[in-house]
Amino acid sequence: MSWRPKNETEADLANESAAAAELSSRWGVKVVKLSPFLYTVDWTLVREERVIGFAEFKFRTKKHPKTLLSAAKYWKMQELAKDSGVPVFLIVRWPDDLWAFKIDATQRWVPKLGGSPRGQNGDMEPVVYIPTKKFKRVKQRGEEK
């Protein structure tokens, strides 16, 4: 049993699947869903059977000046980037498009207490706030940067 309930809905899975298909098409990669029990992130990105990256996906209905991410998740993503030697991305679907933030293994964000006040165990936790202006629109492979 998990230490907190999983709040993933069928709609969440549909949003994730649609974003994976879109990312696959735009970047020319195969997006493979990873086991949440074995990996910190949602996807591995593969080209010609070679892992070329990893990605965590978030769906947001509103775009705010800062993007919240669990500090524990962020630190694990930094570790994955350092240990694997391949890029790790935070991919966010906002109403205007699909956006990516490349995790820098050396970047430090000051953690703050944040989260959702639903009252579930673990809802309030240390988080990092990444400035949304640091995200880049996910472009088609070969499209001008």
Side-chain angles (χ1 to χ4, degrees):
M1 183 162 155
S2 176
W3 71 281
R4 70 182 269 188
K6 192 166 185 176
N7 296 308
E8 197 169 52
T9 66
E10 290 298 320
D12 294 332
L13 294 173
N15 286 327
E16 183 179 340
S17 180
E22 190 172 342
L23 185 69
S24 176
S25 172
R26 290 190 191 193
W27 280 0
V29 296
K30 181 178 178 183
V31 177
V32 179
K33 176 85 170 152
L34 296 172
S35 165
F37 302 107
L38 298 175
Y39 293 90
T40 302
V41 295
D42 293 315
W43 305 327
T44 187
L45 311 176
V46 178
R47 191 175 290 135
E48 297 175 8
E49 302 308 313
R50 193 171 134 243
V51 172
I52 63 162
F54 294 95
E56 172 70 8
F57 174 72
K58 299 292 181 192
F59 178 85
R60 299 289 182 254
T61 57
K62 294 181 183 174
K63 200 170 192 179
H64 298 283
K66 294 181 181 177
T67 301
L68 176 147
L69 183 65
S70 157
K73 170 90 55 180
Y74 185 79
W75 295 327
K76 287 178 183 175
M77 291 170 74
Q78 283 186 307
E79 188 177 310
L80 180 59
K82 181 179 172 233
D83 291 348
S84 70
V86 298
V88 178
F89 299 93
L90 174 59
I91 305 291
V92 180
R93 159 63 73 202
W94 279 300
D96 63 345
D97 207 350
L98 201 59
W99 295 78
F101 174 76
K102 185 177 177 183
I103 301 298
D104 179 339
T106 63
Q107 176 68 55
R108 299 291 178 242
W109 303 102
V110 176
K112 298 183 178 180
L113 186 64
S116 171
R118 292 176 295 199
Q120 294 178 355
N121 183 20
D123 277 348
M124 298 300 291
E125 64 176 316
V127 299
V128 295
Y129 290 98
I130 302 166
T132 300
K133 66 183 178 183
K134 298 236 179 228
F135 284 75
K136 295 184 180 187
R137 188 182 302 267
V138 173
K139 299 189 184 263
Q140 293 287 345
R141 187 174 178 206
E143 189 176 341
E144 189 177 315
K145 301 211 183 227

